[in-house]
Amino acid sequence: MPFRFIHTADLHLDSPLTSLALRNADLGDLVRGATRKALERIVDLAVAEAVDAVIIAGDLYDGSQTSMATALFLMGQMRRLDAAGIRVFLIRGNHDAQSQITRELTFPPNVHIFDGRGKPVKAGALASGREIHVRGVSFANQHAPASLLPTYRAPVPDAVNIGLMHTSLAGASRHDPYAPVGLSDLAAHGFDYWALGHIHQRRVHLEAPWIVMPGNPQGRDINEGGAKGVTLATVAEDGTIACEERHVAVAVFERLAVDLAGVEDWQGMLARTEAVLGGARAGAGGAHLVARLALAGATPPAWRLRRD
């Protein structure tokens, strides 16, 4: 039997959205609860796909704002995975390190939280007998200015090696530097799959070995736009790995451009805008669409648009 796992990161459970709530209370409530719903959908997916493990590469919480209610919700979802026989491997990210209750929780026995030593843990084995080993490094401090890679032990020989790391890689806009590391250094370490976290936009950096930043499963504002999800990975009997993205977001943020060139009147503007919104809504995969419109182009109704 193959070994299958879900890779996610940066859930930021119950992340505050004060500015959005002030503008539209219903919209604020929808998106504020979306981080929880995204985790529920991840657990639903894990159970439906009968995966062997869920891997969380840091930032379950949203820093010092974490409440006991958030923690209890998280525990309930971990128990659902435990009841389904699904193991959980997680590391603490920089936001988790800020949380006052991170170390006060006692997780169910299916959850393994890596410490700062990078010791490998056997997660399972293929029918061929080839073992799956997972390792990660958590940080107690919210700041990690140096690379964590030297802390990770060498790959286990004749095994499939999976590493969890919360890192900004070589740097990314809108993200503080955290445990910087080069892609070439990760690739040379000898692991088969690097499960990364910290940057909120999905990107598959390499496929041999796999170096995957899944992005956050639920965007929280217009700067975290586009479809959001997790990576579902399958390790075949020969040790090769196949990955696919699965969307789990409740709401999708999008910046939408509406070209009004050639539009002669107000009704034409509405029709053009409706068409753009309809296309984006269809591409949202059933999630709520939260859109910011930018209208451009020479059009007679321009004066009225500016006025109204």
Side-chain angles (χ1 to χ4, degrees), residues 256-300:
L256 302 178
V258 182
D259 183 6
L260 297 182
V263 171
E264 295 297 325
D265 55 27
W266 188 264
Q267 290 301 318
M269 178 276 296
L270 291 176
R272 186 74 59 86
T273 303
E274 286 282 356
V276 171
L277 283 168
R281 188 181 299 115
H288 293 278
L289 174 66
V290 184
R292 177 175 292 176
L293 296 171
L295 282 63
T299 178

Side-chain angles (χ1 to χ4, degrees), residues 170-224:
S173 62
R174 301 188 71 248
H175 290 278
D176 295 332
Y178 186 83
V181 66
L183 288 173
S184 59
D185 296 323
L186 288 176
H189 197 71
F191 289 0
D192 301 281
Y193 187 102
W194 278 104
L196 305 182
H198 188 59
I199 298 173
H200 293 183
Q201 292 296 324
R202 175 179 176 81
R203 185 172 180 183
V204 177
H205 290 276
L206 284 177
E207 296 185 9
W210 286 93
I211 301 179
V212 180
M213 187 74 71
N216 52 343
Q218 174 58 61
R220 300 170 299 163
D221 57 47
I222 195 65
N223 294 312
E224 296 180 350

Side-chain angles (χ1 to χ4, degrees), residues 92-107:
R92 296 188 177 100
N94 53 310
H95 282 271
D96 298 323
Q98 298 175 51
S99 171
Q100 299 300 312
I101 64 171
T102 295
R103 291 169 184 78
E104 298 177 8
L105 298 177
T106 301
F107 282 94

